[in-house]
Amino acid sequence: MLNLILFGPPGCGKGTQSARLIGKYQLVHLSTGDLLRSEITRGSELGFEAKKLMDQGILVPDEVVIGMINAKLESQKNTNGFIFDGFPRTIAQAAALDNLLSEKKTAIRALLSLEVDFDELIKRILLRGKDSGRSDDQDPEIIGKRVNEYNLKTAPLIEYYKKQHKYYSILGIGSVDEIFQNLCSVIDTLK
Ligand code: AMP
């Protein structure tokens, strides 16, 4: 199986690039942000609790997202692999993912880290907020909080995957096509 993590701060292009990669490599896209937003739309208790944190730009508890990922892995048994987008975001989530995948006799092949500078991130998120209406994409203070959460809790994953020799840095600046090519040229060396 080809299991990839698309990694980087909010606004780096994970969602856009995942959508393209799943078509080319026949993978299943698992975005915890999308899963949480669909819980909110459904009006579930989980969605209600998650929204309170998401609206403040704070991460939801590890056990909530790990549970959602576990359920999705169970329901998708016959696939070439998964693209994890926005998950894992903490060391505890990364360790849980390693365990879940090893129970299924598979593993993460690579973490692809999209490198985008801070000013470009803010520009992209505000633009996305206008188009999508996502409340956490519209307030510069909340965006700042999300970037803070990333630096504090998520960036340490780089070391975690470097130790496993699975870390790849990808230039995340340029057109959507150019960034897609940057990703594909690394993925093609993995297959
Ligand atoms: P995203 O769509 O990936 O930017 O996620 C939007 C929000 O959902 C984040 O700011 C968090 O509040 C929450 N979220 C998404 N994925 C995770 C995760 N893996 N761990 C904790 N919180 C998450």
Side-chain angles (χ1 to χ4, degrees):
M1 276 172 94
L2 182 62
N3 299 313
L4 305 171
I5 298 171
L6 207 48
F7 186 81
C12 72
K14 299 187 292 289
T16 305
Q17 295 297 336
S18 294
R20 295 188 153 211
L21 291 169
I22 54 170
K24 173 155 177 163
Y25 296 101
Q26 302 296 303
L27 304 172
V28 171
H29 181 206
L30 291 184
S31 153
T32 40
D34 287 351
L35 292 172
L36 289 165
R37 281 183 289 278
S38 75
E39 290 293 329
I40 294 171
T41 308
R42 278 198 320 125
S44 70
E45 179 65 23
L46 189 158
F48 179 76
E49 292 302 323
K51 185 172 177 359
K52 290 188 213 161
L53 297 167
M54 292 164 79
D55 281 348
Q56 298 174 71
I58 298 173
L59 295 186
V60 306
D62 288 333
E63 54 280 14
V64 171
V65 285
I66 292 166
M68 289 192 321
I69 288 289
N70 188 22
K72 284 286 166 188
L73 292 178
E74 283 297 310
S75 69
Q76 296 277 354
K77 293 220 183 283
N78 296 315
T79 169
N80 281 343
F82 295 94
I83 293 193
F84 297 93
D85 159 7
F87 180 91
R89 260 175 155 105
T90 63
I91 297 282
Q93 291 177 24
L97 180 60
D98 278 349
N99 286 335
L100 289 175
L101 292 176
S102 99
E103 279 167 15
K104 294 174 192 347
K105 307 272 178 280
T106 184
I108 290 296
R109 184 80 67 84
L111 174 136
L112 308 166
S113 178
L114 286 169
E115 311 296 340
V116 179
D117 61 67
F118 181 76
D119 290 349
E120 175 72 17
L121 290 177
I122 304 296
K123 233 173 42 196
R124 286 189 195 174
I125 297 175
L126 287 170
L127 200 70
R128 183 173 69 185
K130 262 197 210 149
D131 290 345
S132 71
R134 253 180 79 173
S135 50
D136 61 342
D137 276 348
Q138 294 182 32
D139 179 342
E141 203 176 311
I142 306 292
I143 297 169
K145 178 80 197 161
R146 287 162 64 201
V147 173
N148 230 20
E149 286 280 87
Y150 171 82
N151 288 331
L152 209 68
K153 298 175 182 166
T154 308
L157 291 182
I158 293 172
E159 274 311 306
Y160 181 94
Y161 287 97
K162 270 186 181 166
K163 277 193 195 136
Q164 297 188 12
H165 309 290
K166 292 175 180 172
Y167 170 81
Y168 296 83
S169 172
I170 313 274
L171 184 63
I173 295 280
S175 69
V176 172
D177 281 342
E178 282 163 350
I179 300 167
F180 183 64
Q181 280 317 314
N182 296 343
L183 284 162
C184 292
S185 57
V186 170
I187 295 170
D188 290 339
T189 65
L190 302 170
K191 296 195 330 162

